[in-house]
Amino acid sequence: MEKKNIDWSNLGFGYQVTDKRYVSNYKNGAWDDGVLTDEATITLSECAGVLQYAQTCFEGLKAYTTEDGRTVCFRPDLNASRMKDSCERLEMPVFPEDRFVEAVKAVVHANEAYVPPYGSGATLYIRPYMFGSSPVIGVKPAEEYQFRMFCTPVGPYFKGGAKPITIRVSDYDRAAPHGTGHIKAGLNYAMSLYQIVDAHEKGFDENMYLDAGSRTYVEETGGANFIFITKDGKMVTPKSDSILPSITRRSLMVVAEKYLGMTVEHRQVRFDELGDFAECGLCGTAAVISPVGKINDHGREICFPSGMDEMGPVTKKLYDTLTGIQMGRIEAPEGWIVEID
């Protein structure tokens, strides 16, 4: 298929309208058959559940052009499963997981001209989301819902690409114990907006959130999980019931152990042990891995030996291996890659 006339190598991480998106409505206890549509505008009641009580959740995944020219997606079944968990926690109807994956295929296929070419550094970002659409004035779940999925070509999440970033320790909490930090609810991200704007104004790229109960353990940033590399080459990832279970992080754990022969530890990470690590990174669908060069703790800098010039050597191996799997240069574990027909 002929690609759109887009300057792929200079794309930022932003939204542009593509040709088709998927829509399915839930009414009278059932989902309709769903449809691909040209219409990118949503009409809602002024009293819709999403507008009154933030009853909404979302996902994010990507499609790629592989080295041999195929169009593929990465582990959409895990996005379907995570969205199921989000819906159940927010008292929303679950969109069937098999239909979720089929919708991903349909949306990418319908917009294949927007899938960036191999080697361009860009990808097709896919955004599934659901919201309460019927009027709700009392505090209760909506009765009707809409599931939608659109896609947009994007470049790197951080402007510097894979250059190490500087983050700060936040005085605010991202998620409460026993709250909604483990699901991909829109309300979690709304809570982080004040802090991310403030961080950017003060020259930082992101915020590090600590656990709300004791402020002793590392949790995550506003939109990514942490990975740490010890000085003896182990990979350590923070564990908490209020951390979003990143699909990229879970994939990197497999890559580290099975492809690179590393020891992997998924455990609580104390804030006071950060100075003992050799490398640090943020991982997620949008950025894959963004290396962290230093953390600012209220003026005290925690600098990682990997430095501020380039991605640390172990983090680079992890990045290269995972992106190699996604782009078809390295054989993937069974079920990780879904080809778009």
Side-chain angles (χ1 to χ4, degrees):
M1 174 179 286
E2 184 178 351
K3 299 296 184 182
K4 295 289 183 179
N5 184 21
I6 294 173
D7 186 1
W8 305 106
S9 61
N10 287 313
L11 279 174
F13 197 86
Y15 169 75
Q16 64 175 281
V17 179
T18 52
D19 294 341
K20 298 286 186 179
R21 67 274 312 133
Y22 179 89
V23 181
S24 181
N25 290 290
Y26 181 90
K27 188 174 182 179
N28 298 324
W31 290 101
D32 65 18
D33 291 337
V35 65
L36 286 172
T37 176
D38 299 334
E39 183 54 65
T41 301
I42 299 171
T43 301
L44 281 174
S45 164
E46 63 183 352
C47 197
V50 62
L51 301 178
Q52 301 307 315
Y53 302 120
Q55 201 180 14
T56 180
C57 61
F58 69 98
E59 278 297 322
L61 64 157
K62 287 180 175 178
Y64 315 83
T65 301
T66 63
E67 190 173 28
D68 60 3
R70 295 174 296 130
T71 300
V72 301
C73 288
F74 184 69
R75 309 192 78 178
D77 58 314
L78 293 190
N79 293 96
S81 175
R82 191 169 64 181
M83 192 168 205
K84 170 182 176 291
D85 293 339
S86 296
C87 290
E88 289 176 343
R89 178 65 177 81
L90 296 173
E91 282 297 328
M92 301 168 72
V94 173
F95 192 73
E97 294 178 54
D98 57 340
R99 289 187 58 189
F100 180 106
V101 174
E102 289 305 312
V104 170
K105 293 178 182 178
V107 168
V108 176
H109 181 73
N111 295 285
E112 201 155 2
Y114 291 92
V115 181
Y118 175 79
S120 65
T123 53
L124 186 75
Y125 185 80
I126 306 158
R127 171 54 60 87
Y129 61 109
M130 188 191 300
F131 54 87
S133 55
S134 59
V136 178
I137 198 66
V139 181
K140 61 181 181 179
E143 295 182 356
E144 298 176 6
Y145 296 83
Q146 189 168 102
F147 172 84
R148 296 180 71 98
M149 186 183 299
F150 67 83
C151 62
T152 184
V154 297
Y157 188 74
F158 291 103
K159 291 180 181 179
K163 292 286 287 184
I165 61 175
T166 301
I167 64 177
R168 69 170 184 183
V169 178
S170 176
D171 290 325
Y172 289 76
D173 297 324
R174 173 189 162 271
H178 314 296
T180 58
H182 63 294
I183 63 170
K184 208 165 176 66
L187 58 92
N188 295 341
Y189 295 79
M191 290 170 62
S192 73
L193 294 178
Y194 173 83
Q195 275 295 89
I196 194 61
V197 169
D198 185 66
H200 289 167
E201 289 176 349
K202 291 179 169 59
F204 302 104
D205 296 289
E206 251 291 5
N207 293 289
M208 168 180 278
Y209 291 99
L210 305 179
D211 75 287
S214 69
R215 297 193 60 79
T216 300
Y217 299 101
V218 174
E219 295 250 304
E220 61 172 293
T221 69
N225 281 192
F226 279 102
I227 60 170
F228 299 101
I229 307 300
T230 65
K231 292 174 182 176
D232 60 355
K234 296 177 183 175
M235 176 177 165
V236 179
T237 63
K239 183 178 182 179
S240 166
D241 290 339
S242 55
I243 292 177
L244 184 75
S246 164
I247 293 165
T248 304
R249 187 261 300 163
R250 285 181 276 168
S251 301
L252 284 168
M253 291 171 69
V254 175
V255 166
E257 184 175 9
K258 303 299 184 183
Y259 284 73
L260 301 180
M262 297 170 60
T263 298
V264 176
E265 297 179 354
H266 184 50
R267 61 171 175 80
Q268 287 186 312
V269 175
R270 298 190 321 276
F271 178 69
D272 63 12
E273 67 177 297
L274 293 186
D276 298 333
F277 293 117
E279 301 175 33
C280 172
L282 309 182
C283 64
T285 297
V288 186
I289 302 178
S290 292
V292 175
K294 59 185 176 182
I295 299 169
N296 187 294
D297 177 21
H298 302 86
R300 179 179 71 94
E301 289 190 341
I302 302 169
C303 300
F304 295 99
S306 51
M308 290 297 296
D309 293 327
E310 58 186 8
M311 188 178 284
V314 178
T315 304
K316 183 72 161 57
K317 287 181 182 178
L318 288 164
Y319 177 87
D320 288 345
T321 305
L322 182 58
T323 55
I325 290 170
Q326 291 171 336
M327 299 293 180
R329 297 188 299 269
I330 298 172
E331 185 175 355
E334 185 177 355
W336 278 28
I337 301 297
V338 173
E339 189 164 349
I340 307 302
D341 300 324

